[in-house]
Amino acid sequence: MNEFEDLLNSVSEVNPGDVVTAEVLTVDNGQANVVIEGTGVEGVLTLRELTNDRDADINDFVKAGDTVEVLVLRQVVGKDTDTVTFLVSKKRLEARKAWDKLIGREGEIVTVKGTRAVKGGLSVEFEGLRGFIPASMIDTRFVRNTEKFVGQEFDAKIKEVDAAENRFILSRREVIEEAAKEARTEVFSKLSEGSVVTGTVARLTSFGAFIDLGGVDGLVHVTELSHERNVSPKSVVSVGEEVEVKVLSIDEEAGRVSLSLKATTPGPWDGVEQKLAQGDVVEGKVKRLTDFGAFVEVLPGIDGLVHISQISHKRVENPKDVLSVGQEVAVKVLEVNAADERVSLSMKALEERPAQAEGENKEEKRHSRPRRPKRDAKRDYELPETQTGFSMADLFGDIEL
């Protein structure tokens, strides 16, 4: 017992909580045996007290002859021997230093590494200290799969530090928002209405495509995607595609930019006079029907109107009675007006005028002649004085009343 007491007294200068320097003697079985300088007291440094990565190889961290600064955790007395050693930790010393560095640094931005996806968010590491980013603070949009951040290094803003409660909360979202705000300011300073800029398709919706202009998302409405009508955004562009767009309008206060894709591509009416001329006979497809006629596509993106009076020599009450959408028809070009983007077509001009139609036309002309007004029947019964100038007395003077 006296020998054991002497041994304990010899290490009385080493106490739990002390920060000491130790030399690595050996590395074996996932732990390093060290000797604390100036005392001759031995200690044990395990892999768990070196790193949070339990699959790591301890030989990647320490080797015999290395000098390391460690935190003394507790005293350990051997069961079968009278030896006294200390459990020491390099990881916890780094964590303590990290806590000291964090005091009063709320609001600062630091670089962290994602370590594990946990319930409600993401566990991260900063200089050996474990922190937590809630799911709502990971990105500007809700992230369902936080696994993709594991192993990544990124910047995050310190939100809360409480060493006593071991509480270290950060936000990646605020860093992204601040960076986006700065980028928006820079982008808006370079944008001008009517300019053509390059962007990347960020996402598609039913009403259009959002284009990333380098920190600002502009909208290409579905009507500005293509010269064709009723197109689906996904049939025109795809996410990640780089496109050139024209700036239609800018609302910096609201953070909105309206763009046009079709304005940067040749329209179907450009040079239409060289493709289509009065008198041409072409094949087309009926695109839509109205009460006053049928619209026939004669060139890609160009629909001409066949007025109801130009469908047939026969009387047509409603275009739907004789035509259907998708039907292929032959038409004759009556007029091309590129300025007004209008083409007039005729189907009946390609048909032979039927004989009965000529007779009907003559009959119509005969009936359409203005009729002379009938004589007033009263003219046969005008009073005699209007015909002979006699008075009433001359006619009825002999009659006794």
Side-chain angles (χ1 to χ4, degrees):
M1 286 296 296
N2 291 335
E3 291 179 358
F4 183 63
E5 288 178 1
D6 292 340
L7 181 63
L8 291 177
N9 291 332
S10 67
V11 297
S12 59
E13 56 191 285
V14 179
N15 298 295
D18 288 350
V19 176
V20 298
T21 301
E23 180 183 353
V24 179
L25 299 176
T26 61
V27 179
D28 189 30
N29 295 325
Q31 71 178 32
N33 297 310
V34 302
V35 59
I36 299 174
E37 291 184 352
T39 66
V41 177
E42 293 188 0
V44 176
L45 178 61
T46 64
L47 176 64
R48 186 172 182 175
E49 295 302 330
L50 273 169
T51 176
N52 290 323
D53 186 359
R54 297 186 181 184
D55 297 325
D57 184 351
I58 193 171
N59 293 288
D60 294 335
F61 294 88
V62 292
K63 60 181 182 297
D66 286 351
T67 299
V68 292
E69 189 177 35
V70 292
L71 174 68
V72 178
L73 298 181
R74 63 179 183 274
Q75 190 181 82
V76 180
V77 179
K79 293 182 179 179
D80 301 327
T81 65
D82 292 335
T83 57
V84 177
T85 59
F86 285 88
L87 180 64
V88 297
S89 174
K90 185 173 184 292
K91 181 182 73 175
R92 300 193 195 193
L93 177 60
E94 291 175 347
R96 175 188 285 185
K97 290 180 178 179
W99 279 114
D100 292 341
K101 288 181 181 179
L102 289 176
I103 301 301
R105 293 182 62 185
E106 286 86 350
E108 289 188 24
I109 295 175
V110 294
T111 301
V112 299
K113 182 178 182 179
T115 56
R116 188 158 59 98
V118 296
K119 184 178 180 181
L122 179 69
S123 180
V124 298
E125 183 178 329
F126 171 66
E127 297 184 3
L129 187 65
R130 181 177 298 176
F132 176 68
I133 301 179
S136 62
M137 297 185 182
I138 294 177
D139 207 338
T140 52
R141 299 184 181 90
F142 180 73
V143 178
R144 294 187 180 275
N145 179 23
T146 56
E147 289 283 351
K148 65 181 181 180
F149 293 100
V150 175
Q152 288 189 21
E153 288 190 350
F154 50 85
D155 290 341
K157 178 180 282 190
I158 300 173
K159 298 295 294 179
E160 185 178 348
V161 177
D162 189 340
E165 296 293 332
N166 199 31
R167 186 176 176 84
F168 180 29
I169 308 298
L170 304 101
S171 172
R172 177 176 176 269
R173 185 192 68 198
E174 291 189 22
V175 174
I176 296 174
E177 288 176 342
E178 289 178 9
K181 185 178 180 180
E182 293 178 3
R184 277 199 301 270
T185 302
E186 183 178 357
V187 171
F188 274 115
S189 67
K190 297 178 180 178
L191 287 178
S192 59
E193 292 186 9
S195 62
V196 176
V197 295
T198 301
T200 303
V201 179
R203 62 187 189 280
L204 302 176
T205 68
S206 60
F207 54 84
F210 284 93
I211 312 298
D212 181 6
L213 302 177
V216 173
D217 281 358
L219 172 64
V220 179
H221 192 266
V222 65
T223 57
E224 292 295 332
L225 279 171
S226 172
H227 292 287
E228 296 183 27
R229 296 186 179 91
N230 302 320
V231 296
S232 169
K234 64 181 180 181
S235 68
V236 181
V237 293
S238 56
V239 174
E241 180 181 353
E242 190 173 273
V243 293
E244 280 194 342
V245 288
K246 184 177 181 179
V247 180
L248 299 181
S249 64
I250 301 171
D251 187 343
E252 185 172 355
E253 186 175 344
R256 287 196 297 265
V257 181
S258 295
L259 306 169
S260 174
L261 180 62
K262 75 178 184 182
T264 63
T265 59
W269 291 92
D270 294 341
V272 69
E273 294 92 341
Q274 284 73 46
K275 306 173 187 176
L276 208 62
Q278 183 179 355
D280 287 352
V281 176
V282 295
E283 294 287 332
K285 180 182 290 186
V286 177
K287 301 293 288 186
R288 54 197 174 98
L289 298 170
T290 67
D291 292 340
F292 55 84
F295 285 92
V296 177
E297 185 180 47
V298 289
L299 288 173
I302 295 182
D303 294 349
L305 172 65
V306 180
H307 190 268
I308 190 170
S309 63
Q310 292 294 328
I311 292 177
S312 174
H313 288 290
K314 296 179 181 179
R315 182 177 179 81
V316 177
E317 295 292 341
N318 192 312
K320 295 180 181 179
D321 296 337
V322 293
L323 295 172
S324 57
V325 174
Q327 181 180 346
E328 297 284 346
V329 294
V331 291
K332 183 175 182 179
V333 179
L334 300 181
E335 181 189 8
V336 178
N337 188 333
D340 294 335
E341 297 187 352
R342 187 174 65 240
V343 175
S344 298
L345 306 170
S346 174
M347 291 173 59
K348 80 175 185 180
L350 300 178
E351 298 177 355
E352 185 178 351
R353 184 188 299 273
Q356 63 269 27
E358 294 181 4
E360 289 173 1
N361 287 342
K362 291 179 180 179
E363 184 66 18
E364 288 177 1
K365 289 181 179 180
R366 187 176 67 83
H367 286 297
S368 65
R369 291 176 183 172
R371 296 180 179 180
R372 294 180 180 177
K374 293 181 179 180
R375 291 184 176 182
D376 191 348
K378 293 182 179 180
R379 290 177 62 87
D380 296 334
Y381 302 97
E382 289 180 339
L383 295 178
E385 61 263 33
T386 62
Q387 296 179 350
T388 63
F390 297 148
S391 66
M392 292 292 288
D394 292 330
L395 291 174
F396 302 106
D398 295 336
I399 299 176
E400 293 183 1
L401 298 177

